[in-house]
Amino acid sequence: DRRREAPAAGSPIQAIIKDVGEIYSRLLDHRPVIQGEIRYFVKEFEEKRGLRELRVLENLKNTIFETNEHVLPKCEQTMHDNLNETFKRLQAANDMIHRLQEKECEVRKLQADKVMAREEKCIAHWEEFMKEQQNKRAEVDEEHRKAMERLKEQYAEMEKELAKYVSF
């Protein structure tokens, strides 16, 4: 509504308003300058940086393609070959360990059999020793009994002879 009421184009107020508007836009309104700087920065960034980024992305794409097409299959094949070789070595080592365990088990069994045979031999020897000791004890007991009987007979005779002399 104010514009409609604005004075005619030729009035002196209009010229003052126009001058004040120009002063304001030159001194206080920085939007056109900032917009110009922004346009310049975007243009420089897109021209200089954009091509560099495109080159970097293209190099990355080529590297990934090279890796997928050549390096990865080589790595897979090498890994497969090495894993097969490693698996064969592990199987051979496992077989060797199994044989060693069997031999060790056999050696332990032989040692256990030897120990058992020694124990049986020792037990048999001990039993024989104990029987021998019992026989010797029986012999000693028998000799002791005979010696006791002889001593009894001897003392009985001595008493008879003493009895002859006591009557004096």
Side-chain angles (χ1 to χ4, degrees):
D1 289 337
R2 287 185 181 171
R3 287 183 186 169
R4 284 186 211 165
E5 293 177 12
S11 73
I13 281 196
Q14 182 111 26
I16 293 173
I17 292 175
K18 186 177 177 188
D19 289 339
V20 169
E22 272 185 42
I23 292 170
Y24 170 79
S25 66
R26 286 185 181 188
L27 293 177
L28 301 175
D29 189 13
H30 301 294
R31 280 181 279 161
V33 174
I34 292 173
Q35 286 175 353
E37 288 295 321
I38 290 173
R39 278 192 217 109
Y40 175 76
F41 177 78
V42 168
K43 181 181 171 188
E44 286 293 313
F45 184 80
E46 286 177 350
E47 286 178 2
K48 291 180 181 175
R49 181 89 174 158
L51 295 177
R52 192 176 337 150
E53 295 297 323
L54 271 174
R55 284 191 300 257
V56 168
L57 289 174
E58 187 67 31
N59 288 340
L60 282 173
K61 183 182 117 186
N62 291 337
T63 304
I64 290 171
F65 179 77
E66 178 73 22
T67 302
N68 284 338
E69 292 297 317
H70 301 291
V71 175
L72 190 61
K74 285 180 184 178
C75 287
E76 286 177 356
Q77 184 63 37
T78 303
M79 184 177 66
H80 189 340
D81 294 343
N82 288 339
L83 284 177
N84 281 339
E85 180 66 27
T86 305
F87 183 70
K88 289 176 185 176
R89 287 182 180 179
L90 284 174
Q91 278 184 329
N94 195 20
D95 292 341
M96 289 171 62
I97 289 172
H98 186 66
R99 284 193 300 268
L100 286 173
Q101 285 177 335
E102 286 177 354
K103 286 180 183 179
E104 187 176 326
C105 186
E106 289 173 7
V107 166
R108 284 185 183 169
K109 186 179 177 188
L110 287 174
Q111 287 176 348
D113 290 344
K114 286 179 183 179
V115 167
M116 198 68 129
R118 282 187 212 138
E119 285 179 6
E120 289 173 1
K121 186 177 178 182
C122 284
I123 290 172
H125 189 308
W126 180 256
E127 288 175 358
E128 183 181 322
F129 174 76
M130 290 306 288
K131 284 180 186 177
E132 197 175 296
Q133 290 300 316
Q134 285 177 348
N135 291 338
K136 286 182 180 180
R137 187 181 73 190
E139 287 176 14
V140 167
D141 286 345
E142 184 64 30
E143 284 181 29
H144 180 35
R145 189 184 57 77
K146 286 180 183 177
M148 289 291 289
E149 282 180 22
R150 274 183 288 166
L151 282 174
K152 280 183 187 178
E153 288 174 9
Q154 186 180 3
Y155 282 119
E157 280 181 32
M158 289 171 100
E159 276 184 33
K160 284 182 190 177
E161 283 187 28
L162 263 174
K164 290 182 194 175
Y165 295 114
V166 174
S167 48
F168 288 107

